[in-house]
Amino acid sequence: MPDLMNVNTSESKSTFLSSRVHALELTPLGVKLLDQTALPGAVQYVDIHTTREMAHAIETMLVRGAPAIGIAGAYGVVLSARDHFVSELSEEELREAIRTDLKRLAQTRPTAVNLFWALHAMEQELDAPLDTAADLVDRLTRKAVQIHEEDIESCQRIGDYGATIIPAGAGILTHCNAGALATGGYGTALGVVRSAFARDPQVHVYADETRPRLQGARLTTWELVEDGIPVTLVTDNMSGALMRAGKVDVVVVGADRITANGDTANKIGTYNLALIAHAHGVPFYVAAPLSTIDMAMQTGEEIPIEEREPSEISTVNGELICSPGASFYNPAFDVTPARYITGIITERGIARPDYVESLAGLFRT
Ligand code: MRU
């Protein structure tokens, strides 16, 4: 069964970056996205007006990170409803037009289950009986905002549960970016870091740079420096040396999809990290909301892994870094088998092995 210890969720979070900077925001005119491809060089926003633009923003990773992609998908459905809400369309035609846009959003990125979870929730709203077509726009908007707000709450609870497993003055290693930028706000793995830091300013984060797109270097260091949380950047191939030197007390990462047995897809390189942590006896935790847990999949073998453009690995800042004659393999995610995971930190508590039992238990509470 999950650890359901009492946690203090009322700790002050208002001083953190996530209360000032938002990865996504629904506005009367569209959705304002913080352009994550421009960070840390520039803090700039892009206004998204249509579902097509939202799908493109997800594909090109202006918005990224599993929970944030889910929220972006839900807001994309709202944009569709606003766009198609014209008096000439019958109620059924309006629903059909939104369904077509919803399918386009579902084609953007395959691995993070939060996208499909959020689109499914929006589809249920779409299918429910209505008084008027205007009700549909209102209802979809309310649902999307609810998904966003609940994600922030979940992250704060994950942070507070997670802080309980961080030793005093710990060195915490993380991979990729599972922060405020990757969620509705506050973050999952970085939510744990934030809550731990609020209790103990002696904690120290090691951030893997996270090739090929450098989310650790570009985004995680940016978030932590903005919050005054001590962070040291390391390249992905340094984690073994770092653990051997005794600098890492715990690894905490996010997740894109967790299957019913606890196998976890996360950014490519997470699996290597889990193996190295296992070899050194360092606890390895995954932090994720229930919306990342896919109980319909039994094992990690079933998870679709996104493969991205070869140019992400063949170039750095637009410069070719290898022979053009090489071939390329660029999976964006890998799967860490459940046996290497010490615990899965969720908004309902910390699941421990055996995950088949403990994850199912989380959905019953
Ligand atoms: O390709 P990205 O940047 O979307 O990948 C992000 C990750 O792998 C994160 O660790 C994961 O989505 C969890 S975010 C809370």
Side-chain angles (χ1 to χ4, degrees):
M1 284 298 288
D3 287 348
L4 288 174
M5 66 276 271
N6 281 328
V7 290
N8 175 11
T9 54
S10 62
E11 251 165 299
S12 168
K13 291 164 173 98
S14 56
T15 55
F16 289 121
L17 170 85
S18 44
S19 62
R20 310 188 299 277
V21 175
H22 305 285
L24 333 84
E25 196 184 328
L26 185 67
T27 70
L29 296 179
V31 179
K32 197 170 138 192
L33 291 184
L34 175 57
D35 180 356
Q36 299 194 31
T37 64
L39 286 168
V43 180
Q44 63 194 34
Y45 293 86
V46 176
D47 289 315
I48 302 291
H49 300 105
T50 65
T51 313
R52 237 184 53 202
E53 287 174 3
M54 183 61 92
H56 187 67
I58 297 171
E59 280 164 349
T60 54
M61 295 174 66
L62 257 75
V63 59
R64 34 66 51 203
I69 295 173
I71 298 160
Y75 282 154
V77 176
V78 173
L79 296 183
S80 172
R82 285 181 183 175
D83 203 26
H84 294 297
F85 177 58
V86 283
S87 46
E88 298 90 68
L89 287 187
S90 70
E91 200 181 293
E92 214 22 64
E93 284 167 334
L94 175 62
R95 280 198 170 101
E96 219 23 67
I98 298 172
R99 251 179 229 120
T100 303
D101 284 346
L102 199 142
K103 284 188 190 126
R104 169 71 187 99
L105 290 161
Q107 285 161 355
T108 50
R109 298 193 72 192
T111 303
V113 71
N114 309 62
L115 174 63
F116 307 98
W117 171 87
L119 291 179
H120 178 69
M122 296 301 282
E123 204 167 8
Q124 282 184 324
E125 292 295 322
L126 186 59
D127 291 342
L130 288 174
D131 290 333
T132 67
D135 291 343
L136 184 58
V137 182
D138 283 351
R139 209 161 53 197
L140 291 172
T141 305
R142 274 199 304 274
K143 186 68 193 177
V145 170
Q146 182 193 347
I147 288 171
H148 191 167
E149 285 173 354
E150 286 182 357
D151 185 66
I152 300 173
E153 262 172 51
S154 294
C155 285
Q156 293 182 342
R157 292 189 66 83
I158 287 168
D160 292 335
Y161 277 117
T164 64
I165 56 90
I166 303 293
I172 308 167
L173 179 59
T174 192
H175 190 70
C176 195
N177 172 266
L181 295 168
T183 60
Y186 202 66
T188 55
L190 294 194
V192 173
V193 165
R194 288 191 164 98
S195 294
F197 177 77
R199 295 173 184 192
D200 171 17
Q202 299 307 314
V203 297
H204 187 102
V205 177
Y206 293 94
D208 272 354
E209 64 173 348
T210 319
R211 275 283 286 157
R213 292 186 65 105
L214 302 174
Q215 291 94 326
R218 294 189 303 102
L219 308 177
T220 294
T221 67
W222 182 74
E223 281 200 28
L224 295 179
V225 168
E226 285 289 313
D227 277 344
I229 300 175
V231 56
T232 299
L233 177 65
V234 292
T235 66
D236 297 334
N237 50 359
M238 291 176 185
S239 43
L242 206 57
M243 288 191 209
R244 196 151 187 216
K247 293 187 186 297
V248 180
D249 299 291
V250 57
V251 178
V252 186
V253 296
D256 287 83
R257 192 185 296 239
I258 301 169
T259 55
N261 71 341
D263 290 351
T264 295
N266 190 47
K267 179 54 55 189
I268 191 77
T270 303
Y271 175 40
N272 304 35
L273 203 53
L275 291 177
I276 297 169
H278 183 74
H280 288 86
V282 171
F284 183 95
Y285 283 91
V286 170
L290 264 57
S291 55
T292 306
I293 303 175
D294 185 352
M295 294 300 278
M297 282 191 183
Q298 303 312 306
T299 79
E301 299 290 311
E302 297 163 67
I303 301 176
I305 299 291
E306 175 184 9
E307 281 201 39
R308 295 187 60 88
E309 284 292 299
S311 62
E312 288 186 352
I313 51 176
S314 63
T315 61
V316 170
N317 292 334
E319 295 284 328
L320 193 69
I321 55 156
C322 59
S323 164
S327 56
F328 303 96
Y329 174 53
N330 186 21
F333 303 97
D334 58 25
V335 176
T336 299
R339 64 180 173 281
Y340 298 118
I341 299 171
T342 311
I344 299 177
I345 306 162
T346 76
E347 69 271 36
R348 295 214 184 134
I350 303 176
R352 308 266 181 190
D354 170 318
Y355 292 113
V356 171
E357 178 46 40
S358 60
L359 291 180
L362 289 176
F363 285 92
R364 286 196 294 268
T365 54

